[in-house]
Amino acid sequence: MERSTFVYDGDCAFCTSCAEFIERRIPTAARVVPWQFADLDALGLTAAQCEEAVQWVGEDGSRAAGPDAIAKLLAASGPLWRVAGAGLRFPPARAVAWPAYRWVARNRHRLPGGTAACSLPQEARDRLYGPAGRPSAGA
């Protein structure tokens, strides 16, 4: 793989807002891409993995999910962000990070920038909005 990739849920407004923050504020060479537009096979990921958590695929093929993926993204960024990434990998912080991440994932439709579509499983989103969030002809 030529460069690392950070994969998020492009159907979720909250996730998309976070990805836009990354692209604007965090200097990284990693690609930041919604999973709905990523070549999941080439990345070695499944839709189910991407629905569950953000994903990191390093240029060396290493993978991480959830807060571990966020820590990897930060570690591959500017100096100040690397410190934040190291902090997220620190055992006490990491012990809190996963439960906090799961809470955010379950409640992302209630968070700023979130929408009701964020709370739907991918199968229901596809049925209502079509693939990649585009309205289907029958909706």
Side-chain angles (χ1 to χ4, degrees), residues 25-93:
R25 304 279 187 221
I26 300 178
T28 181
R31 287 181 42 223
V32 178
V33 61
W35 73 262
Q36 293 85 350
F37 297 106
D39 183 349
L40 297 182
D41 288 336
L43 294 170
L45 298 171
T46 66
Q49 289 172 309
C50 296
E51 283 180 17
E52 187 173 317
V54 294
Q55 303 290 320
W56 171 266
V57 180
E59 59 186 53
D60 62 355
S62 63
R63 295 193 325 203
D68 296 333
I70 295 166
K72 293 270 191 184
L73 172 78
L74 295 174
S77 301
L80 203 52
W81 294 106
R82 279 189 219 123
V83 171
L88 192 52
R89 288 187 311 273
F90 187 62

Side-chain angles (χ1 to χ4, degrees), residues 9 16 57 59 61 66 68 91 94 104-105 109 114 133 136:
D9 184 353
T16 299
V57 180
E59 59 186 53
D68 296 333
R94 193 167 185 271
V104 168
H109 60 287
S136 62

Side-chain angles (χ1 to χ4, degrees), residues 6-19 34-36 47-55 66 99-125:
F6 183 80
V7 182
Y8 67 95
D9 184 353
D11 282 343
C12 174
F14 176 75
C15 300
T16 299
S17 295
C18 292
W35 73 262
Q36 293 85 350
Q49 289 172 309
C50 296
E51 283 180 17
E52 187 173 317
V54 294
Q55 303 290 320
Y101 182 88
R102 287 186 184 108
W103 183 88
V104 168
R106 278 192 313 272
N107 293 284
R108 60 189 175 164
H109 60 287
R110 294 183 177 104
L111 299 172
T115 64
C118 297
S119 66
L120 297 174
Q122 185 61 40
E123 181 181 305
R125 283 187 263 169

